Amino acid sequence: MTQEKALPARARTVIIGGGVGGASIAYHLAELGERDVVLLDRGELTSGSTFHSAGLVGQLRSDPTLTRMNMYSVELYRTLQQSESPPSWVESGSIRLASSPERLEELRRQLAWARVFGLPMEEISATDAEDLFPLMTTDGVLGGVYLPSDGQIDPSQLCYSLAAGARRGGVTIAQHTRVLGIAVERGRVAGVRTDRGDIECEIVVNCGGIYAAEIGRLAGIRIPVVPMSHQYVVTEPLAGKLLTPEKPLPSLRDPDLLVYYRQEGRGLLMGGYERHALPFTADANHYDAVPADFNAKLLPDDWDRFGEIAENSAVRVPAMADARIRRLINGPEAFTPDNEFCLGQTEVDGFFVSAGFCAHGIAGAGGVGRLMAQWIVDGEPAMEVAHMDINRFGHQYSSPSFTLKRVLENYQTYYDIRYPGDERSAGRPLRRSPVYAWHQRQGAAFGEKSGWERVNFYRPNEAAGDAGVRPQGWAGQNFSPAVAAEHRAARESVAMFDESSFAKLHIAGPGAVSFMEWVCDNRVARGPGRVTYTQLLNTRGGIEADVTVTQVDAESFWLITGTAFGPRDGAWLRRQARAGDFDVRITDITGQYSCFAVWGPRSRELLTALTPVDLGRTAFPFMTSRELPVGDIPVRAQRVTFVGELGWELYAPVEYGAALWELLWEAGAAFDLVAGGYRAIESLRLEKAYRVWGSDVTSETDPLSAGLGFCVAWDKEFLGRAALLTRRDAGLTRKLCCLTLDDPSMVVLGGEPVRIEGELVGRVTSGGYGYTVGRSIAFAYLPVALADPGRSLEIDLFGEWSPGRVADDVLYDPSGARIRS
């Protein structure tokens, strides 16, 4: 072991982990001018998962952010290849095959995404694929796609190249240094303790890979990653095959066979995602515990478990049947429960995470490094990464059992086609409404979000629906006529929905009013009983959350956000409170209250029969809240809607939930009450052009371009106001538009490119079918000059351009008369 220099006693930033993730962050911090940075590794650089990674670099993903990150990675690797420390980047291209009609449809959908990002992907025939990769057989191949700018890289050389750049920028790299503890004082990182001394610091970045969860526990943070055994083989040179290392074949994936290949010297590297996955050290009752001496090591060969992959590989590349195997690589890779990275600042201020690379970390390493460096320096991410934010995980992921179930399912279905409406099954049912058993008895079809069981629709309602409006293609998968019946009930009589899963945060304390006015762009402190629709903005004026806020009393508020957003929104709010030194308490009360929505033109009649309180338009106006009895049950009723109809959301302590639902159901028989699910809510909200956070609005979109400028209270100070003023004064260049397709049976799924007069102008953010208006609806950000209603356009649906037009923003009740009736 080489003699290491003494550690500095202090640094601004300490990065733990010397794989490609840590080295990339160090490299990019140096590029941003950060010099006071120390990178620590318990062994040597690359001695974690990096050294045994397969080295494939693919750019296109279904997620726009990840695609942009991967595209930047390729740009960076090209640049590094010309540096003093080239990482052996080879732009060999990639092929993805379709061995089934369903897979060919999936590839054509991916081809549309590639157009949006300007990636030079093209559809190829089976013969074209064989010309590019002569070792394959075309038996059963229906087609494929080819992306020439994808490539492959030596992961270890990439890490060394990034580390060299970081060193040149002034970063200190200390190998053979084990972190033993992380000092946290008053909720903030204060330093790290190592076997070579302590380092005082302001920021710690956990880039521990398979060790990330263990490192997180040192700071009291649960990071739900599980090291999974991932195997691939490297062959000897293939007999009779003239493979040249100087001009390697493109990488090849056949997801229907669960396999991937790339050239390695004069042979092949081949791996895949087997159906019988195996975790490294975690089990249902214990957190992962990587052995202390597991540095630069591999796991024992597991040929029995690799058998399915080996057999499948010879189906597509017959030479694999007789190839001599140089070695089987069995190395642990850190996987997350949803196959997304774990990035960002945790609930401990200054403690960042960049982990859970899910076997595609080499492709993402460049983009992740830049994103994280900017996040550390600026205090917030420059891209929309809520779906990668470490704070997205709810309390259920503190359970090793639940985490492991989700990770196993994710790994084993890595290459599966995921149709709209497909649901995960692992770890279910977990979080249940107090009327879950009632839903079961009534034939509910459940979906799951953030661990909650939520009703998608009720099968008995199918008889009253219309099977004739089933969309074509993928949008028709998991279709149910019940959705139409539940949609119509909300429009024509009254429908009831169980929204107990919606996240509820209680903000209280002497500083609550000033805090809420600072974080909300709308004025929310308007007196007890007032409900406000508002956004929470970042410093760039982007929308961090889209919420309703109720002022409960002089010093407390309720904030209602989406089911999956509660943990992240709560963490974001607490960070803002600490940053501004506001005297507030922010508590997640989601599980304490049931929430049932009663919406429709007869909702007032139904509720009037159950309460002595006047529910008239004047006595109980729209966007107000009050406590009242419903039958024997104390309820907080809020006159709000997400479907565009008269109605209320009823919040009751969970111990009253079952009784309240049953009371409403029995009384509702006289008013043609129908119980509905979330798919009907989605259809209803589309007709009203209600935005959804995470698709229509994100941290990269602002209220003005999203059509939410009416929420902005310009006469007060709020977070992001300066940036929003700059955008307002500069004038909008793009705006969110409602689109309709000429053929109602052609329904978008999201992400499809939009073109006008042959030019790509945007991508679909969300869409679906509106049962009242009888139209296929989509939303997309378009140039303002092309956003006038009636303008013709086309949307790419699986390789076919479907005509449509820009519509009026609100297709149903544009004046809002019904919600205020």
Side-chain angles (χ1 to χ4, degrees):
M1 184 178 83
T2 58
Q3 183 65 36
E4 296 285 345
K5 293 181 180 179
L7 294 179
R10 193 188 184 288
R12 170 172 156 75
T13 302
V14 173
I15 300 169
I16 305 172
V20 291
S24 184
I25 293 173
Y27 174 93
H28 286 91
L29 282 172
E31 277 210 326
L32 292 175
E34 295 285 307
R35 301 288 180 262
D36 196 9
V37 178
V38 176
L39 185 152
L40 307 176
D41 193 274
R42 61 193 277 163
E44 297 185 352
L45 297 181
T46 82
S47 62
S49 297
T50 296
F51 84 94
H52 59 71
S53 297
L56 281 76
V57 178
Q59 298 167 87
L60 183 66
R61 297 291 190 274
S62 59
D63 168 41
T65 299
L66 185 54
T67 298
R68 287 153 55 199
M69 289 163 67
N70 291 353
M71 290 172 68
Y72 169 75
S73 290
V74 167
E75 294 176 17
L76 175 65
Y77 302 165
R78 288 171 180 157
T79 300
L80 292 175
Q81 189 61 25
Q82 306 304 315
S83 72
E84 300 172 9
S85 307
S88 300
W89 165 249
V90 178
E91 206 153 314
S92 55
S94 72
I95 300 168
R96 186 176 288 258
L97 299 176
S99 299
S100 66
E102 296 79 11
R103 188 69 66 179
L104 188 59
E105 289 179 327
E106 180 188 50
L107 295 187
R108 286 174 176 160
R109 179 163 163 74
Q110 292 174 2
L111 194 64
W113 296 336
R115 292 193 183 103
V116 171
F117 298 105
L119 287 169
M121 179 179 277
E122 57 182 297
E123 184 172 350
I124 58 175
S125 67
T127 301
D128 294 333
E130 186 180 29
D131 290 342
L132 289 164
F133 197 99
L135 299 179
M136 65 169 277
T137 174
T138 60
D139 293 349
V141 176
L142 303 181
V145 291
Y146 173 59
L147 183 52
S149 57
D150 281 350
Q152 59 190 59
I153 200 165
D154 183 313
S156 294
Q157 291 300 320
L158 172 61
C159 186
Y160 296 142
S161 179
L162 291 165
R167 284 192 182 100
R168 287 193 297 272
V171 173
T172 299
I173 297 179
Q175 303 178 85
H176 305 288
T177 306
R178 189 178 298 271
V179 173
L180 304 175
I182 297 174
V184 177
E185 298 177 0
R186 296 186 296 278
R188 178 165 194 92
V189 159
V192 298
R193 180 166 57 88
T194 83
D195 58 356
R196 297 179 53 220
D198 297 349
I199 306 175
E200 241 185 87
C201 62
E202 302 168 33
I203 294 166
V204 171
V205 191
N206 178 357
C207 300
I210 63 173
Y211 319 99
E214 178 183 352
I215 294 167
R217 290 195 291 273
L218 296 177
I221 295 294
R222 169 65 172 148
I223 301 169
V225 298
V226 174
M228 297 293 295
S229 165
H230 184 72
Q231 300 187 103
Y232 62 83
V233 296
V234 179
T235 74
E236 297 287 357
L238 298 179
K241 309 299 181 184
L242 299 177
L243 298 179
T244 59
E246 296 75 22
K247 189 178 180 182
L249 300 173
S251 60
L252 179 71
R253 294 174 178 84
D254 191 334
D256 291 308
L257 292 173
L258 310 177
V259 293
Y260 62 79
Y261 315 78
R262 75 164 174 84
Q263 188 172 331
E264 177 75 5
R266 297 182 185 275
L268 289 181
L269 179 153
M270 181 279 295
Y273 293 86
E274 67 277 5
R275 297 294 188 189
H276 305 288
L278 184 68
F280 176 25
T281 59
D283 62 38
N285 298 311
H286 301 87
Y287 295 126
D288 54 285
V290 179
D293 63 347
F294 197 83
N295 299 320
K297 291 185 178 181
L298 295 171
L299 305 177
D301 296 353
D302 192 347
W303 283 104
D304 289 341
R305 196 163 51 83
F306 197 66
E308 179 185 13
I309 300 299
E311 291 178 13
N312 287 355
S313 73
V315 172
R316 183 57 54 225
V317 178
M320 290 299 300
D322 302 315
R324 295 180 60 188
I325 304 301
R326 182 188 306 168
R327 68 180 308 185
L328 172 67
I329 306 294
N330 184 4
E333 298 264 8
F335 276 77
T336 64
D338 57 8
N339 205 43
E340 300 283 3
F341 299 149
C342 287
L343 305 178
Q345 188 168 196
T346 68
E347 286 268 28
V348 173
D349 285 343
F351 186 59
F352 286 79
V353 175
S354 178
F357 279 17
C358 304
H360 52 263
I362 302 301
V368 167
R370 181 175 68 166
L371 172 86
M372 287 296 298
Q374 292 169 339
W375 200 333
I376 291 163
V377 171
D378 298 338
E380 61 188 18
M383 304 171 75
E384 172 47 53
V385 288
H387 53 301
M388 303 179 191
D389 193 323
I390 179 62
N391 297 298
R392 71 188 183 272
F393 295 106
H395 292 304
Q396 63 269 26
Y397 288 100
S398 65
S399 160
S401 173
F402 184 80
T403 301
L404 181 59
K405 288 173 184 175
R406 284 300 171 101
V407 170
L408 281 169
E409 182 183 45
N410 174 54
Y411 185 99
Q412 290 167 168
T413 59
Y414 190 89
Y415 273 146
D416 283 7
I417 297 172
R418 296 195 176 106
Y419 294 109
D422 280 355
E423 299 284 350
R424 295 293 191 185
S425 60
R428 297 179 59 189
L430 183 63
R431 304 175 77 181
R432 313 178 203 185
S433 158
V435 288
Y436 174 76
W438 187 96
H439 298 321
Q440 285 184 306
R441 292 193 300 270
Q442 296 297 318
F446 289 99
E448 178 270 338
K449 183 168 282 190
S450 195
W452 281 96
E453 295 296 316
R454 312 199 314 169
V455 177
N456 283 333
F457 55 86
Y458 296 89
R459 293 185 182 89
N461 290 335
E462 289 179 344
D466 182 4
V469 296
R470 178 190 293 271
Q472 296 185 43
W474 279 25
Q477 297 279 349
N478 300 305
F479 169 84
S480 172
V483 178
E486 295 163 14
H487 174 116
R488 283 199 301 269
R491 290 280 185 252
E492 298 169 7
S493 57
V494 59
M496 182 166 65
F497 303 89
D498 184 352
E499 294 185 332
S500 298
S501 68
F502 272 23
K504 313 164 192 75
L505 301 176
H506 185 225
I507 298 96
V513 168
S514 56
F515 173 67
M516 292 300 290
E517 289 292 6
W518 169 245
V519 295
C520 297
D521 64 353
N522 207 343
R523 190 169 294 282
V524 295
R526 299 186 296 143
R530 299 294 296 274
V531 182
T532 306
Y533 174 47
T534 185
Q535 290 75 45
L536 316 181
L537 308 184
N538 54 41
T539 60
R540 304 184 313 279
I543 301 171
E544 289 289 338
D546 187 60
V547 302
T548 56
V549 172
T550 301
Q551 185 168 6
V552 176
D553 57 40
E555 290 191 349
S556 69
F557 297 80
W558 275 16
L559 182 149
I560 311 299
T561 187
T563 298
F565 308 141
R568 178 186 174 274
D569 290 356
W572 187 89
L573 285 165
R574 283 186 283 273
R575 187 171 301 115
Q576 305 310 316
R578 291 192 298 270
D581 197 25
F582 290 98
D583 186 3
V584 294
R585 300 177 306 280
I586 301 168
T587 309
D588 190 326
I589 58 171
T590 302
Q592 298 178 30
Y593 290 89
S594 306
C595 174
F596 306 138
V598 181
W599 287 320
R602 303 195 71 184
S603 59
R604 182 179 282 124
E605 295 177 66
L606 167 57
L607 292 177
T608 295
L610 298 173
T611 183
V613 174
D614 185 353
L615 303 180
R617 178 178 181 178
T618 301
F620 202 144
F622 183 55
M623 297 301 283
T624 60
S625 171
R626 62 187 298 184
E627 293 181 347
L628 52 80
V630 176
D632 299 335
I633 300 161
V635 165
R636 172 169 287 280
Q638 304 210 144
R639 192 172 164 194
V640 296
T641 182
F642 196 57
V643 301
E645 297 292 342
L646 169 70
W648 285 260
E649 288 179 348
L650 307 176
Y651 293 84
V654 289
E655 65 266 30
Y656 297 106
L660 176 60
W661 183 275
E662 291 165 4
L663 174 67
L664 292 166
W665 181 250
E666 292 168 6
F671 304 98
D672 300 321
L673 175 68
V674 171
Y678 277 86
R679 292 195 187 168
I681 292 175
E682 174 67 7
S683 173
L684 291 156
R685 76 94 188 168
L686 285 167
E687 295 181 337
K688 285 293 294 179
Y690 291 151
R691 279 61 168 143
V692 169
W693 195 88
S695 55
D696 303 318
V697 293
T698 72
S699 64
E700 293 189 50
T701 61
D702 64 85
L704 305 179
S705 61
L708 300 174
F710 64 90
C711 292
V712 180
W714 295 104
D715 60 344
K716 68 161 191 166
E717 290 297 322
F718 57 86
L719 180 61
R721 182 176 183 271
L724 204 57
L725 275 170
T726 299
R727 294 192 187 198
R728 185 190 70 177
D729 295 345
L732 290 184
T733 58
R734 300 180 70 83
K735 61 179 287 191
L736 186 64
C737 298
C738 179
L739 321 176
T740 58
L741 279 74
D742 293 351
D743 183 348
S745 70
M746 300 296 286
V747 175
V748 301
L749 306 177
E752 296 88 349
V754 180
R755 74 181 185 187
I756 294 176
E757 297 178 356
E759 181 181 353
L760 285 178
V761 293
R763 58 181 291 275
V764 170
T765 57
S766 72
Y769 185 77
Y771 290 94
T772 299
V773 299
R775 307 299 300 273
S776 173
I777 305 167
F779 291 93
Y781 284 88
L782 301 180
V784 169
L786 302 176
D788 46 307
R791 184 178 292 275
S792 297
L793 52 83
E794 296 173 295
I795 298 177
D796 185 342
L797 289 171
F798 297 91
E800 295 186 7
W801 289 98
S802 295
R805 62 198 66 254
V806 179
D808 291 327
D809 189 41
V810 181
L811 298 175
Y812 175 80
D813 186 30
S815 70
R818 295 175 71 92
I819 63 178
R820 293 177 172 82
S821 61

